[in-house]
């Protein structure tokens, strides 16, 4: 990256139809690939749960990477919504999770992501949750726990130090709601609680589709900011639909 270059930057609130709700993400639009160390420094400076870096090439799939303040992640839904909010139209991204397609139309953004159904493990997470769990398991990168009620999910105060010391230090908790509610904690990747987590719904949607006997569901992530994710399970894929609001745009000077 040329340190004298000016680089396009946006702040987008994802999975919401109004500013200052949902999940904020940084979007850095590049005209060529950037050094990973530089991207990590930018993400640490911006301090959002994820900052997306997309190479806006003219043809073919656009390279897309996501960084938390402390590390690169292999999949991020809300920052992908944010990128598509900025670029518009139909986009294909080349990512660590393979090629992902996204389309912006009629005020909604639809993402086609790989399904990641949790596998039951039955492990005891009571020292983290400080509450009973009806189901515990693991998805590709996250611990997964089903609590007794939506109220239990809203009121949960997991032990983040204990969670940080586990496997990947990442946990999805969920319970029935209108369809289902959830929260996501990721101290292992520098995100104590993520306001709305698209990638977690790649696990939530298949789990609740089996439990509720339907493939189209609405998830509410009941963090302080809150957000809504519409989901549809199609075999080994999950369609995630959300709205987004661009809050600010400018340039990076480093």
């Amino acid at each position: 990256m040329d340190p004298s270059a000016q680089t396009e930057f946006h702040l987008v609130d994802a999975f919401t139809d109004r500013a200052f709700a949902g999940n904020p993400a940084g979007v850095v639009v590049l005209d060529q690939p950037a050094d990973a160390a530089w991207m990590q420094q930018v993400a640490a400076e911006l301090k959002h749960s994820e900052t997306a870096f997309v190479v806006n090439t003219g043809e073919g799939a656009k390279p897309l990477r996501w960084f938390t303040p402390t590390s690169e992640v292999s999949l991020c839904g809300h920052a992908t919504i944010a990128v598509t909010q900025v670029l518009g139209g139909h986009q294909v991204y080349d990512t660590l999770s393979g090629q992902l397609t996204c389309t912006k139309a009629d005020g909604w953004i639809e993402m086609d992501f790989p399904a990641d159904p949790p596998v039951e493990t039955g492990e005891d997470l009571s020292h983290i949750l400080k509450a009973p769990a009806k189901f515990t398991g693991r998805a590709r990168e996250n611990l997964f726990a089903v609590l007794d009620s939506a109220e239990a999910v809203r009121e949960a105060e997991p032990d983040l130090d204990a969670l940080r010391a586990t496997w990947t230090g990442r946990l999805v908790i969920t319970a029935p709601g209108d369809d289902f509610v959830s929260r996501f904690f990721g101290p292992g990747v520098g995100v104590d609680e993520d306001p709305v987590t698209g990638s977690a719904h790649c696990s939530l949607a298949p789990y609740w589709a089996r439990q509720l006997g339907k493939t189209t569901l609405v998830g509410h992530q009941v963090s302080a900011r809150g957000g809504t994710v519409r989901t549809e399970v199609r075999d080994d894929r999950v369609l995630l639909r959300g709205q987004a609001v661009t809050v600010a745009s400018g340039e990076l000077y480093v």
Side-chain angles (χ1 to χ4, degrees), residues 2 13 20-21 27 87 92 98 116 140 143 145 182-183 185 233:
D2 179 356
D13 289 341
F20 314 124
V27 176
L87 299 182
V92 181
D116 184 21
R140 189 173 296 115
L143 295 170
S182 68
R183 289 171 70 190
F185 304 90
V233 178

Side-chain angles (χ1 to χ4, degrees), residues 143-160:
L143 295 170
F144 190 99
V146 181
L147 305 190
D148 288 333
S149 66
E151 182 180 7
V153 171
R154 289 188 177 93
E155 295 181 352
E157 296 182 3
D159 185 328
L160 297 181

Side-chain angles (χ1 to χ4, degrees), residues 110-111 113 205 209 215-217 229-235 237-241:
E110 179 179 278
M111 305 183 292
F113 274 18
T215 57
T216 302
L217 307 100
V229 184
R230 296 183 179 181
T231 71
E232 182 178 349
V233 178
R234 292 185 179 177
D235 299 321
R237 308 293 295 181
V238 177
L239 301 183
L240 306 176
R241 300 182 180 97

Side-chain angles (χ1 to χ4, degrees), residues 61 64 66 74-75 92-101 114 237:
L64 173 62
W66 309 277
S74 62
L75 186 65
V92 181
Y93 303 116
D94 187 13
T95 80
L96 291 177
S97 293
Q99 286 201 349
L100 305 176
T101 61
R237 308 293 295 181

Side-chain angles (χ1 to χ4, degrees), residues 71-141:
S71 58
E72 185 172 12
V73 295
S74 62
L75 186 65
C76 179
H78 87 277
T80 306
I81 285 263
V83 170
T84 310
Q85 166 72 5
V86 170
L87 299 182
H90 178 78
Q91 302 291 339
V92 181
Y93 303 116
D94 187 13
T95 80
L96 291 177
S97 293
Q99 286 201 349
L100 305 176
T101 61
C102 301
T103 303
K104 180 180 179 182
D106 300 323
W108 288 83
I109 297 168
E110 179 179 278
M111 305 183 292
D112 183 345
F113 274 18
D116 184 21
V119 176
E120 185 170 10
T121 60
E123 58 197 297
D124 183 7
L125 299 178
S126 59
H127 65 298
I128 297 171
L129 294 168
K130 297 180 277 187
K134 300 168 63 175
F135 170 99
T136 59
R138 294 189 180 194
R140 189 173 296 115
E141 295 181 321

Side-chain angles (χ1 to χ4, degrees), residues 13-24:
D13 289 341
F15 293 118
T16 180
D17 61 356
R18 65 187 190 278
F20 314 124
N23 200 353

Side-chain angles (χ1 to χ4, degrees), residues 197-236:
T197 315
S199 60
H201 287 74
C202 295
S203 302
L204 289 160
Y207 176 84
W208 287 111
R210 291 196 304 268
Q211 299 300 311
L212 301 177
K214 57 182 183 177
T215 57
T216 302
L217 307 100
V218 178
H220 296 289
Q221 196 151 333
V222 290
S223 64
R225 289 176 64 103
T228 300
V229 184
R230 296 183 179 181
T231 71
E232 182 178 349
V233 178
R234 292 185 179 177
D235 299 321
D236 62 348

